[in-house]
Amino acid sequence: MTRLTAISNVVISHAPTPLEKLTNLSAALGVNIFVKRDDCTGLAGGGNKTRKLEYLLADAQNLGADTLVTIGGIQSNHARQTAAAAAKFSMGCELVLEDVEGTPKQDYYQNGNALINRLCHANTHLVPEGSTMDECVEQLLNKLNKQGKKPYFIPMGGSNELGSLGYVECAREIVQQTQQQDLSLDHIVVATGSGGTQAGLLAGFIAQKQTTPVLGICVSRSGAEQQHIVEPLLQQTLALLDLDRDLGIGHVHANGNYYGAGYGITTEQTREAIKRVAALEGILLDPVYTGKAMAGLIDLCEQGEFAQGQNILFIHTGGSQGLFAYQQEF
């Protein structure tokens, strides 16, 4: 991927992250479940946003920015990793966060990712009732510019074509690791929300002429709605790699059967998946992303959608820090 090497990035991730088999879960399901441990990328606990921030931070530096500005929910994993990246690179950090209706409130505002944001000295701006996130961001950027600062805005989840390059690189890692382990994958499963992780993986596999299907388990919307988010982002990422945008046609698959009532709101299946993986493998999933994705993977295995003996790779995108904001759910 010669075009990728020509695009600036900084080094944050503890990469390559491990790719390992979940032996006990595999035995329970009759399917060979492997996991790509992107919860181990480092940066205030790690997670998938760290890879995206490697490219976004380089762009911010090249533009002379001194302050990172981003958006998300109060327990956003992306906000936490952005706050940590800003600290690491001696930049200011401004987080525009909104409350999520239906989430547990006992620890939601002070624990988990919210606690880590404060430890990293990020400034949090809660979206007031009656305002939109876009309005708050515009006001904040204007204020920072008037103060003489040079803000750099990062979209939700770091999910634009530049951020998606982090998962083009992850796809390269996966191909190398499966070759080293003499492992042939039948399916890849990943939580999909803002879309950059799924789009980047697909672009990376397309660039390497790999055809393993990537199924996104939706965390906040229907499969059809999610496809409409990922498809254009995939095309933009392919174009950034100097590849034909049309190579992505037909590659985006999303399952919206497991997100429940909405973003950040757990389901019984999610809680059971989190408890099951912790008990069987000692691996922590989160209530917002990976718990829902694993709930979908387990159910699809039990329903026979994934055949006995197939090799399935689960992308662990991190987020276990959020568990501490959801303790009343458990």
Side-chain angles (χ1 to χ4, degrees):
M1 289 183 280
T2 55
R3 174 60 179 147
L4 182 61
T5 60
I7 300 174
S8 298
N9 68 297
V10 298
V11 177
I12 309 175
S13 301
H14 299 171
T17 57
L19 192 157
E20 57 196 28
K21 187 174 182 179
L22 300 182
T23 305
N24 297 326
L25 185 62
S26 297
L29 295 175
V31 177
N32 298 313
I33 307 295
F34 297 82
V35 61
K36 176 66 170 165
R37 294 294 304 273
D38 267 21
D39 57 321
C40 299
T41 55
L43 196 62
N48 61 327
K49 311 306 181 182
T50 300
R51 291 187 185 270
K52 300 178 184 182
L53 287 164
E54 292 191 324
Y55 290 90
L56 295 164
L57 259 293
D59 190 45
Q61 288 182 328
N62 291 338
L63 293 172
D66 58 18
T67 305
L68 302 181
V69 179
T70 197
I71 59 176
I74 287 175
Q75 283 296 327
S76 165
N77 297 310
H78 164 65
R80 183 242 314 159
Q81 287 164 90
T82 301
K88 182 176 179 66
F89 288 90
S90 301
M91 301 175 77
C93 184
E94 307 286 337
L95 305 175
V96 178
L97 307 179
E98 63 180 356
D99 205 348
V100 178
E101 187 176 353
T103 52
K105 299 308 182 187
Q106 182 174 312
D107 300 282
Y108 197 73
Y109 301 108
Q110 301 297 328
N111 210 331
N113 289 311
L115 171 61
I116 299 173
N117 293 341
R118 294 196 300 275
L119 292 174
C120 293
H121 285 195
N123 295 319
T124 296
H125 309 266
L126 295 182
V127 178
E129 188 174 345
S131 297
T132 68
M133 189 172 279
D134 288 343
E135 290 170 345
C136 292
V137 168
E138 183 178 1
Q139 292 171 6
L140 177 60
L141 292 174
N142 289 336
K143 179 181 178 181
L144 292 170
N145 282 315
K146 288 178 180 178
Q147 291 174 347
K149 295 182 179 179
K150 296 180 179 178
Y152 180 87
F153 177 68
I154 299 174
M156 186 173 291
S159 290
N160 57 16
E161 60 269 35
L162 192 59
S164 296
L165 294 179
Y167 273 83
V168 173
E169 173 63 19
C170 183
R172 184 193 64 78
E173 278 183 25
I174 290 169
V175 170
Q176 288 185 343
Q177 288 172 317
T178 53
Q179 289 174 347
Q180 292 166 357
Q181 297 181 31
D182 194 23
L183 172 63
S184 177
L185 297 174
D186 296 296
H187 297 277
I188 295 171
V189 174
V190 62
T192 185
S194 56
T197 300
Q198 187 178 7
L201 285 170
L202 286 167
F205 290 131
I206 290 168
Q208 297 174 93
K209 298 181 170 57
Q210 299 291 316
T211 59
T212 305
V214 177
L215 175 63
I217 302 293
C218 305
V219 302
S220 57
R221 59 183 66 89
S222 72
E225 291 174 308
Q226 189 65 30
Q227 284 181 229
H228 288 312
I229 289 173
V230 178
E231 284 169 350
L233 187 50
L234 170 57
Q235 292 176 336
Q236 293 157 11
T237 306
L238 289 169
L240 187 56
L241 294 169
D242 289 336
L243 296 172
D244 185 350
R245 296 166 65 100
D246 290 342
L247 289 172
I249 293 175
H251 284 272
V252 179
H253 305 288
N255 185 317
N257 295 336
Y258 302 99
Y259 72 88
Y263 172 83
I265 303 171
T266 66
T267 67
E268 183 61 29
Q269 280 182 302
T270 300
R271 293 189 291 271
E272 288 304 314
I274 291 170
K275 289 188 284 187
R276 188 173 188 180
V277 172
L280 287 176
E281 300 289 349
I283 289 176
L284 299 179
L285 304 177
D286 80 294
V288 182
Y289 294 95
T290 53
K292 289 185 177 181
M294 181 58 76
L297 171 56
I298 290 172
D299 187 62
L300 291 170
C301 289
E302 292 177 341
Q303 296 297 326
E305 294 295 327
F306 295 137
Q308 296 281 298
Q310 283 192 326
N311 296 327
I312 315 295
L313 177 63
F314 180 79
I315 310 296
H316 190 335
T317 52
S320 62
Q321 295 75 14
L323 278 171
F324 301 100
Y326 281 78
Q327 69 89 15
Q328 73 185 87
E329 296 272 356
F330 295 89

